[in-house]
Amino acid sequence: MAEPAPAGTAVPAELPGEVVRLRHPGRWVAVAVVVVLLAMLVNSLIRNPNFQWDVVFGYFLDASILDGLRNTILLTVVAMLVGLLLGIVLAVARDSDNPIVAGASALYIGFFRGTPLLVQLIFWFNLSALYPTLSLGVPFGPSFVEGNVNTLITPLIAAVLGLGLNEAAYMAEIVRAGLQSVDPGQTQAAQALGMTRRQVFRRIVLPQALRVIIPPTGNETIGMLKTTSLVSVISLPELLYASQIIYSRTYEVIPLLLTASIWYLILTTVLTIAQSFLERRLRRGDAQRGGGRPQGSRWRELLHGRRPPVAPPGEVPAAETVLGVGGRLG
Amino acid sequence: MSRQPMVLARGVRKSYGANEVVKGVDLDVRAGEVLCLLGPSGSGKSTFLRCINHLEKIDAGWISVDGELVGYRRHKGKLYELKDADIARRRSEIGMVFQQFNLFPHLSVLDNLMEAPLRVRREQPGPVRERSLALLERVGLADKAGAYPRQLSGGQQQRVAIARALAMQPKLMLFDEPTSALDPELVGEVLDVMRGLAADGMTMIVVTHEIGFAREVADTVAFLDGGVVLEQGPPDQVFSAAVHPRTKSFLARVL
């Protein structure tokens, strides 16, 4: 930069030091449109008495709503745990060398993804119609313990089975994609060091696969949180059903749906924040750590265009180094 | 320097489906010796190397390392494939360095070195840590212990990979084209480390295209083509007085 321009080029000897960025008037128009629409929305939210905000917030901390909230969180956590653990097993089985095991896993995934979750939930709830008793014993032989399916399958068990087993099918595909994203060279290097298959999986492959698995798992969890509302059809008092019980008595349908919606929004927001925190933690080991966008610069960027990246003189930006290495690896 | 055989290979064959890549290779490597495997790509040299620590299962013949068969057990005239844990134990005594380094990107440089001694050998962290730091010192990367692999250049990564293999105190080191993925100016630093290892008496089998390195460091070079050893002997003999026409034409292109 400091060198004088070589003779013979058309660059004028003296250039002003300042650069004027391109202005974006269209962006100001978009801002105006959005602001007007937002003002109209807020106005109607305040002026329209049918929203009955006093009712919405009157039930916000109601005991039955809070019980429903607890059930929703419990169902989400348990169903996701079942889904993740069974999903890992299914993913490993799906890529097994044993064709029967791989086929069984594919069949499971195909079946649970191929039928509606709502149907599966109702099916588990009515399992007693298919198998009135359940027993533990030798296959085709004597049984040791017998139980009545009607008492065994409570709405909670049916809900966990329905949500968890269904989620496992989706998680299996996510886990599988994660496992396949890990370079086979990693497995070979670990094996060459004398690690057993188990050690290679737990210490080398899975931790690297998690970086690919966790972001979509976060989305699945947020999805699951809302999907638990389906469980209202089998009379499990989670957040939605708890609201329905109240409005079937008071006919305040819209306010109570709003109460539930606000709670769902709060929970999904918390999950979204947790997800982005986790993803940042997982980025350890990347060379471009701390290379994120500086906070607060988005406004300037929006209205004045992107600022040129500033690199300290004499230093190569980290991202370029990474690309250099990655390019050769590829 | 002891002279007992470290690696013996007899009639080693390996196929991928109908495509036979290694077609009956016999090789001897004595303890403390450096063997360089040369040959055009697709000649089966890398595949043969990977058979030595059972990363590839051989279809016929056998390979022994320090008197033990790799991956198999001999019983009543038959070879029985070993269980995963037994194969792993034998592999742990053979270091391997890959073309693409294959460092563990989620672990720091020091943790890359310490992982196998801690998990495979279940050694105490203290001594392993000291040994690992000493190895990093030896490959000239003592200041990179806390770095992550992606923050290093290719040459540095490969030197870490060598140190990682040495952390298991192997009897034998296998190098699979260790400098082929490196920028030309980074090749020297890796070869320097390998030269030092050879001078210290490490038994090494090196698949390489670095003819200069082979000429200088190898005790024996073997020239492979089409899955068979066409020629082997001391480097001077093979390089200056190659008999086989394929060897001659290959050397004419690379020398």
Side-chain angles (χ1 to χ4, degrees), chain A residues 183 185-186 188-197 199 203-204 207-208 211 285-287 289 325 328-329, chain B residues 50 55 84 88 91-92 94 98 100 102-106 115 119-120 148 150-151 157 164 168 181 183:
Chain A
D183 178 8
Q186 292 289 311
Q188 289 170 11
Q191 283 181 332
L193 284 165
M195 296 174 91
T196 59
R197 277 161 172 268
Q199 286 172 325
R203 301 285 310 171
I204 305 299
Q208 293 184 56
R211 286 180 38 161
D286 278 5
R289 270 182 305 173
V325 173
R328 245 175 291 130
L329 284 176
Chain B
R50 296 154 61 83
L55 281 181
D84 182 44
R91 274 188 191 135
S92 72
I94 305 171
F98 297 85
Q100 303 292 353
N102 295 346
L103 293 180
F104 305 133
H106 60 302
E115 179 72 17
R119 302 283 156 186
V120 175
Y148 282 88
R150 272 172 230 191
Q151 297 166 322
Q157 289 193 51
R164 176 177 70 178
M168 287 296 278
D183 287 346

Side-chain angles (χ1 to χ4, degrees), chain B residues 58-255:
Chain B
I58 61 182
D59 299 321
W62 53 267
I63 301 174
S64 77
V65 175
D66 203 19
E68 276 193 312
L69 289 176
V70 181
Y72 302 93
R73 181 170 57 87
R74 194 190 318 245
H75 184 67
K76 290 184 182 165
K78 281 185 182 170
L79 293 182
Y80 292 86
E81 198 169 353
L82 287 176
K83 278 186 291 193
D84 182 44
D86 296 324
I87 295 172
R89 190 178 53 74
R90 294 191 187 179
R91 274 188 191 135
S92 72
E93 301 178 327
I94 305 171
M96 185 158 190
V97 174
F98 297 85
Q99 184 177 354
Q100 303 292 353
F101 332 133
N102 295 346
L103 293 180
F104 305 133
H106 60 302
L107 300 178
S108 71
V109 164
L110 185 62
D111 288 339
N112 262 277
L113 267 66
M114 292 176 63
E115 179 72 17
L118 292 183
R119 302 283 156 186
V120 175
R121 293 257 166 81
R122 303 193 187 285
E123 291 179 60
Q124 292 299 314
V128 171
R129 193 185 177 82
E130 273 173 39
R131 191 165 82 221
S132 302
L133 288 171
L135 281 167
L136 285 178
E137 179 89 54
R138 179 172 171 185
V139 299
L141 293 168
D143 55 327
K144 299 290 186 192
Y148 282 88
R150 272 172 230 191
Q151 297 166 322
L152 305 181
S153 74
Q156 291 172 330
Q157 289 193 51
Q158 194 61 298
R159 285 187 279 153
V160 172
I162 295 173
R164 176 177 70 178
L166 292 174
M168 287 296 278
Q169 302 173 311
K171 306 172 184 171
L172 166 70
M173 284 284 284
L174 308 175
F175 293 85
D176 188 4
E177 303 199 24
T179 58
S180 298
L182 295 176
D183 287 346
E185 78 270 20
L186 301 178
V187 167
E189 62 189 66
V190 172
L191 292 182
D192 283 344
V193 170
M194 292 170 62
R195 252 181 225 114
L197 263 184
D200 288 352
M202 174 62 77
T203 313
M204 294 162 57
I205 301 181
V206 185
V207 170
T208 187
H209 295 294
E210 297 288 334
I211 302 295
F213 175 82
R215 185 191 283 268
E216 176 198 345
V217 177
D219 299 294
T220 311
V221 298
F223 180 82
L224 269 81
D225 190 28
V228 292
V229 179
L230 290 185
E231 208 140 1
Q232 64 175 310
D236 288 344
Q237 180 195 317
V238 173
F239 288 144
S240 53
V243 191
H244 203 279
R246 301 270 332 191
T247 320
K248 279 183 185 163
S249 75
F250 177 78
L251 290 174
R253 268 180 287 124
V254 295
L255 278 179

Side-chain angles (χ1 to χ4, degrees), chain A:
Chain A
M1 249 193 295
E3 291 163 30
T9 54
V11 180
E14 275 179 45
L15 277 171
E18 205 173 333
V19 177
V20 180
R21 294 269 154 230
L22 182 63
R23 301 281 155 176
H24 298 279
R27 290 180 179 177
W28 288 105
V29 175
V31 168
V33 170
V34 170
V35 166
V36 169
L37 286 174
L38 210 63
M40 287 165 69
L41 178 69
V42 171
N43 181 53
S44 107
L45 284 177
I46 297 170
R47 293 282 190 80
N48 187 342
N50 294 336
F51 278 108
Q52 294 180 272
W53 292 107
D54 53 325
V55 179
V56 170
F57 290 105
Y59 279 111
F60 199 63
L61 296 173
D62 185 271
S64 59
I65 292 286
L66 289 184
D67 276 350
L69 185 70
R70 215 193 51 222
N71 280 335
T72 291
I73 294 172
L74 178 80
L75 267 179
T76 306
V77 170
V78 176
M80 280 311 294
L81 275 179
V82 171
L84 181 63
L85 294 178
L86 188 57
I88 292 177
V89 173
L90 285 168
V92 173
R94 184 77 186 78
D95 290 331
S96 159
D97 290 334
N98 185 333
I100 302 295
V101 171
S105 173
L107 203 69
Y108 179 101
I109 295 170
F111 182 80
F112 279 90
R113 292 207 310 181
T115 54
L117 175 56
L118 189 54
V119 173
Q120 289 173 31
L121 280 169
I122 300 170
F123 176 88
W124 289 114
F125 188 56
N126 293 295
L127 190 67
S128 62
L130 194 60
Y131 299 105
T133 59
L134 218 74
S135 63
L136 200 69
V138 183
F140 307 107
S143 67
F144 310 126
V145 196
E146 270 198 16
N148 185 331
V149 168
N150 239 337
T151 55
L152 197 69
I153 303 285
T154 60
L156 185 67
I157 298 290
V160 167
L161 279 174
L163 295 173
L165 297 187
N166 181 265
E167 186 58 31
Y170 288 90
M171 283 308 301
E173 293 292 287
I174 290 172
V175 171
R176 190 162 159 239
L179 295 179
Q180 285 176 348
S181 76
V182 180
D183 178 8
Q186 292 289 311
T187 303
Q188 289 170 11
Q191 283 181 332
L193 284 165
M195 296 174 91
T196 59
R197 277 161 172 268
R198 237 182 104 83
Q199 286 172 325
V200 173
F201 183 75
R202 290 208 24 218
R203 301 285 310 171
I204 305 299
V205 176
L206 194 57
Q208 293 184 56
L210 280 181
R211 286 180 38 161
V212 175
I213 293 171
I214 285 199
T217 304
N219 294 339
E220 287 290 310
T221 310
I222 291 168
M224 175 62 81
L225 186 87
K226 294 174 290 172
T227 307
T228 53
S229 60
L230 283 183
V231 165
S232 57
V233 299
I234 57 171
S235 324
L236 183 90
E238 42 65 64
L239 192 49
L240 177 63
Y241 194 57
S243 319
Q244 287 174 328
I245 292 172
I246 297 173
Y247 72 59
S248 64
R249 197 175 64 229
T250 66
Y251 299 105
E252 292 158 328
V253 177
I254 295 291
L256 274 148
L257 287 180
L258 283 172
T259 307
S261 297
I262 291 170
W263 270 120
Y264 280 121
L265 269 173
I266 290 172
L267 290 179
T268 51
T269 307
V270 169
L271 282 178
T272 308
I273 293 168
Q275 184 188 13
S276 67
F277 175 77
L278 235 142
E279 280 176 35
R280 229 174 307 142
R281 285 271 330 251
L282 281 169
R283 242 170 272 148
R284 269 187 324 176
D286 278 5
Q288 63 270 59
R289 270 182 305 173
R293 188 206 307 275
Q295 286 299 313
S297 70
R298 281 196 72 169
W299 274 110
R300 233 173 303 141
E301 206 173 90
L302 169 71
L303 300 172
H304 302 303
R306 194 172 282 272
R307 290 159 66 94
V310 185
E315 232 175 78
V316 185
E320 250 181 62
T321 321
V322 174
L323 282 179
V325 173
R328 245 175 291 130
L329 284 176

